[in-house]
Amino acid sequence: MDFQLSDDQRALRSGMRDLLGAVFDRDRMRAAVERGGALDRALWRELGAAGFFALRLPEEDGGVGLGLPEAVLLFEEAGRALLPGPLVATHLAAGRVKGAAEGAAVVTAADGDRPVAHLAEADAVLAGGGPLDGEALRAFVAAARPVRSMDPLTPLHLPPPEPVAGGPGRVAFAAGRVAGPAASAPGRAPAYAGRLRYEAALLSAAEQLGSAARTTEMAVQHARERQQFGAPIGSFQAVKHLCADMLARTEQARAAVYAAAVTGDPLEIAAAELLADEAAVRNARDCLQIHGGMGFTWEADVHLHLKRAWLRAATGLTEAEAEEELAAGLGAAPPRSGSSAAYGPGRSQAGGGA
């Protein structure tokens, strides 16, 4: 079986890299930092027009009709470019929330008690009981509390306390009462259930993979150009080892993420998330070390990758949760033919190729 990317997949990845290079280059990324991470609606619509959000919708529903392996390639490029915004939530909301597939709507996710990204700009919020919009969304936003984010490109809000029923067909938040069924309140339930939970984790892992690959490139480029004692610092053994370790972590994470995209198996996705989180965080730290004093400055981009990697690792399927998933799956069932993972009861293998 050939697990190399097909020509179409390579073209898809190359096209997304070219698009992001044109609409979200370094100058635009730095402008977004100065805006405090406020979303560019024109950029969001550009992504929608390119099929970023509708990639996996069937063609008869206005989508592109591709699969999870192709989505992983696009999210890898988004992570590489440090593209801001609730990309995963809007992608998963395509076909469920009006305007999400076209990039006309910004959709974020309220995952239990965890901070919500880009809440003030969202047109809808994916919550445990279903998408929030309209009056319910406005009450939710009013009751949420802004908190300082470690990532200057990702503004955060703490969700309001668990809502209580405010009479038939109404929900009470701290900010007041709003019309809407009580079942649509986010409460403390996760934003995604079942298959969507693992798809969200895998797409986040793909973003981490893109960031890990980019910081590896940044470190190698700096090591080639920076001179010390009359020679490039990349000629020093300690720096060589750091760069080699970064590449090894990146490629190990890439293999895991791509394989999980093919099988769709929850255990393989949990493993991919662990490896991608480690690669993104540790590579950003090593990249910063290779840059030396420059890496600590606001003008360098290294710290932006590190902060985004930290934030992603703390949201979605966290390290502790992924480890619990893997531990629970040990010995639950023998590996099925065609997959390296041990599937738990009721888990199915998704087809497709990377």
Side-chain angles (χ1 to χ4, degrees):
M1 183 177 292
D2 185 5
F3 281 98
Q4 297 294 320
L5 298 181
S6 68
D7 290 341
D8 287 343
Q9 288 170 329
R10 292 179 189 277
L12 179 70
R13 183 175 63 180
S14 176
M16 180 53 60
R17 184 174 298 187
D18 292 343
L19 173 65
L20 293 179
V23 302
F24 195 71
D25 57 12
R26 187 179 184 276
D27 290 340
R28 288 181 173 88
M29 185 265 288
R30 279 292 173 170
V33 171
E34 295 304 318
R35 295 196 307 267
L39 288 180
D40 182 346
R41 290 279 182 159
L43 171 60
W44 211 250
R45 289 190 293 272
E46 285 265 11
L47 294 173
F52 188 95
F53 302 120
L55 185 78
R56 295 190 297 139
L57 280 182
E59 291 185 62
E60 56 268 26
D61 294 334
V64 183
L66 296 179
L68 197 55
E70 288 77 21
V72 159
L73 297 177
L74 297 195
F75 276 82
E76 181 183 350
E77 292 304 314
R80 174 189 173 88
L82 276 177
L83 190 63
L87 299 167
V88 172
T90 304
H91 178 88
L92 295 179
R96 300 173 60 200
V97 175
K98 183 179 180 181
E102 300 82 10
V106 175
V107 184
T108 189
D111 198 8
D113 293 328
R114 294 171 181 167
V116 183
H118 297 277
L119 178 61
E121 301 165 294
D123 300 300
V125 175
L126 298 181
L132 285 176
D133 55 17
E135 288 297 321
L137 173 61
R138 284 189 283 273
F140 185 76
V141 173
R145 178 167 59 88
V147 292
R148 186 170 182 178
S149 173
M150 69 177 76
D151 177 16
L153 285 166
T154 310
L156 298 175
H157 282 73
L158 279 180
E162 185 173 4
V164 296
R170 301 181 72 81
V171 174
F173 287 109
R177 298 180 183 274
V178 297
S184 67
R188 300 187 188 281
Y192 310 108
R195 175 180 55 84
L196 288 181
R197 178 170 180 258
Y198 295 101
E199 290 183 358
L202 182 61
L203 296 178
S204 176
E207 290 184 282
Q208 294 283 62
L209 170 61
S211 179
R214 178 60 185 143
T215 50
T216 301
E217 294 171 3
M218 292 166 64
V220 171
Q221 180 180 357
H222 184 75
R224 286 172 172 167
E225 296 173 353
R226 175 66 172 167
Q227 298 278 327
Q228 190 71 297
F229 305 113
I233 63 171
S235 65
F236 305 147
Q237 189 176 50
V239 176
K240 288 181 181 178
H241 285 180
L242 282 176
C243 292
D245 289 344
M246 292 172 70
L247 179 62
R249 282 192 292 266
T250 300
E251 292 308 310
Q252 185 180 29
R254 188 188 309 280
V257 169
Y258 285 9
V262 172
T263 66
D265 180 70
L267 295 184
E268 294 195 0
I269 290 174
E273 177 82 6
L274 283 173
L275 291 171
D277 282 347
E278 180 187 24
V281 172
R282 291 188 62 183
N283 281 17
R285 292 170 67 101
D286 286 351
C287 181
L288 193 150
Q289 183 174 352
I290 290 172
H291 276 74
M294 287 179 56
F296 288 88
T297 63
W298 183 258
E299 290 74 17
D301 295 339
V302 185
H303 71 97
L304 297 174
H305 279 277
L306 179 57
K307 291 169 182 175
R308 182 73 64 84
W310 273 335
L311 186 60
R312 285 200 199 101
T315 56
L317 190 66
T318 64
E319 178 182 2
E321 291 169 341
E323 289 173 347
E324 287 294 331
E325 289 275 348
L326 291 171
L330 290 175
R336 293 183 180 178
S337 175
S339 172
S340 61
Y343 292 83
R347 288 172 175 156
S348 62
Q349 182 177 6

